[in-house]
Amino acid sequence: MTRIFSGVKPTGHLTLGNYLGAVRQWVAADQKPDEALFCVVDLHALTVEHDPARVRRLSRQAATLLLAAGLDPERCTLFVQSHVDEHTRLSYLLECTASDGELRRMIQYREKAGRAQAAGDGVRLSLLTYPVLMAADILAYRSEEVPVGEDQRQHVELTRDLAVRFNQRYGPTFTVPKATHPAVAARVMDLQDPRSKMGKSHEVSAGVVYLLDEPAAVTKKVMRAVTDTGSGVVYDREARPGVANLLDILAACTGGDPVELAAGYTGYGQLKRDVAEAVVELLRPVRERHAELAADPAAVDGVLRAGAERARGIARPVVDGAYEAIGLLAP
Ligand code: TYM
């Protein structure tokens, strides 16, 4: 049995990128006999300017959407990061394992710190240490596999480095995890700017499909997607990123291969119509189930409470072991 861990941060409404890059793999993992833990990583939402009420609202919404997408709380453990103290307890030990230099090299830190500075906002220290907390999320459960989109690859690499370093210095404590990515759509791009990732915290949302968008809104966004100059439909991520993104999305929705799908089209119009329809149909059951579940927030909170209890039971002995290994006196 493989132990799987992954998380989503409540900084915005969940997007098609989150769904195709991560959540869909979680639902598939949940059908297997593996032991899976999925977490709404709310502490990570505090690393950038935030509105407290919004973070709280988005945390519950993310949990509700994960259930709506098909996670079964009888089979997996679904919880909120801040409900389990072990994450922050372990994070400090890993800060004592990581170096300042390796954190400053993280691509997401450089991008987000650059954006915060440009907007005149201060850069929170937690933005720099964020990948260490992410490593703690993963290592506290001795997780083996971490299903994520392409953008999290570097953070999982850092997690591996920290696990190996800690184990070498203080004795075997952590399992060294590996990232897994979907075969297609591991990096869904913004429909208006196909050289940037489709991100939930983007301020301009015309190129971002949200899981809770109405069908008409999805169709409008897809039909207005930026395509590339040049005629014919070919799959070329470098030269034709807009069309390649649409083909990736279609392939992910229909189970096809993006290169083979390209051969079936002569123009962008039909491709866009097919993508819009495929996305609308993919998201329809999720949106409908979300509406049912959102009507009973107390039930969702109950799932999260039970999940935190189970998660604590796994993480506590692992983190206690790390405290002892690193040289702290047991209480
Ligand atoms: P987050 O909240 O940005 O995204 C959640 C998951 O969705 C994937 N994803 C995408 N995949 C494909 N195309 C996209 N456009 C796209 N946008 C997002 C992400 O790769 C991710 O898998 N640091 C993490 C959250 C985290 C975490 C963890 C993940 C914290 N602790 C421990 C795994 C294990 C993040 O910001 O994800």
Side-chain angles (χ1 to χ4, degrees):
M1 203 162 64
T2 306
R3 185 171 295 158
I4 294 173
F5 182 96
S6 202
V8 60
K9 69 182 184 301
T11 42
H13 299 285
L14 263 64
T15 71
L16 182 65
N18 296 131
Y19 187 71
L20 295 179
V23 175
R24 214 159 58 142
Q25 326 321 305
W26 305 356
V27 175
D30 193 23
Q31 320 283 318
K32 294 197 282 184
D34 296 335
E35 183 178 9
L37 297 111
F38 300 111
C39 189
V40 177
V41 287
D42 54 351
L43 296 171
H44 289 279
L46 311 184
T47 55
V48 288
E49 285 291 309
H50 78 284
D51 166 12
R54 184 164 187 263
V55 168
R56 211 171 290 127
R57 207 168 51 241
L58 287 174
S59 295
R60 193 189 271 121
Q61 187 192 71
T64 310
L65 265 170
L66 294 178
L67 293 170
L71 290 186
D72 176 357
E74 299 292 319
R75 298 181 60 98
C76 71
T77 300
L78 176 64
F79 68 106
V80 173
Q81 183 189 32
S82 65
H83 295 177
V84 180
D85 292 341
E86 271 53 46
H87 296 240
T88 47
R89 276 183 77 213
L90 180 57
S91 188
Y92 180 71
L93 300 198
L94 297 177
E95 281 182 22
C96 300
T97 309
S99 74
D100 176 69
E102 67 191 336
L103 289 179
R104 286 187 196 280
R105 277 197 296 276
M106 293 289 122
I107 298 165
Q108 288 211 347
Y109 169 70
R110 288 174 26 188
E111 285 175 359
K112 288 185 185 168
R115 274 206 294 272
Q117 269 156 349
D121 297 332
V123 178
R124 296 185 182 183
L125 179 58
S126 54
L127 188 66
L128 179 65
T129 55
Y130 166 119
V132 176
L133 178 58
M134 174 163 164
D137 300 337
I138 297 167
L139 299 182
Y141 298 92
R142 295 212 172 104
S143 316
E144 294 160 272
E145 286 185 10
V146 186
V148 282
E150 183 69 43
D151 62 320
Q152 297 300 320
R153 187 188 288 271
Q154 195 186 30
H155 291 161
V156 180
E157 276 303 310
L158 175 79
T159 304
R160 291 168 58 86
D161 292 346
L162 295 181
V164 168
R165 197 176 304 154
F166 193 101
N167 289 346
Q168 275 169 354
R169 284 186 190 162
Y170 309 114
T173 305
F174 299 122
T175 300
V176 181
K178 69 167 197 286
T180 59
H181 307 287
V184 273
R187 190 175 180 83
V188 177
M189 308 308 274
D190 189 293
L191 297 174
Q192 287 299 315
D193 177 12
R195 295 200 186 269
S196 322
K197 183 187 81 169
M198 183 183 282
K200 63 173 127 53
S201 10
H202 290 186
E203 266 153 35
V204 185
S205 58
V208 182
V209 174
Y210 298 101
L211 299 193
L212 292 179
D213 275 346
E214 297 285 334
V218 174
T219 303
K220 187 164 152 191
K221 288 176 183 178
V222 174
M223 294 310 291
R224 290 192 178 167
V226 167
T227 38
D228 317 293
T229 49
S231 60
V233 176
V234 286
Y235 185 78
D236 182 340
R237 290 200 84 164
E238 272 308 305
R240 304 274 196 90
V243 174
N245 191 36
L246 291 173
L247 288 164
D248 275 338
I249 294 172
L250 185 62
C253 293
T254 60
D257 172 82
V259 178
E260 286 169 14
L261 284 170
Y265 292 95
T266 48
Y268 297 155
Q270 189 59 45
L271 172 62
K272 284 181 176 177
R273 279 192 288 280
D274 288 355
V275 171
E277 192 188 322
V279 174
V280 165
E281 290 315 316
L282 186 77
L283 300 186
R284 188 187 301 283
V286 180
R287 206 165 47 87
E288 288 174 357
R289 183 87 183 106
H290 174 270
E292 290 165 20
L293 293 168
D296 188 1
V300 175
D301 289 351
V303 166
L304 296 175
R305 254 195 315 277
E309 189 69 31
R310 269 208 304 273
R312 226 174 274 128
I314 301 173
R316 180 49 82 74
V318 178
V319 177
D320 282 351
Y323 267 62
E324 198 181 329
I326 206 168
L328 299 170
L329 196 59

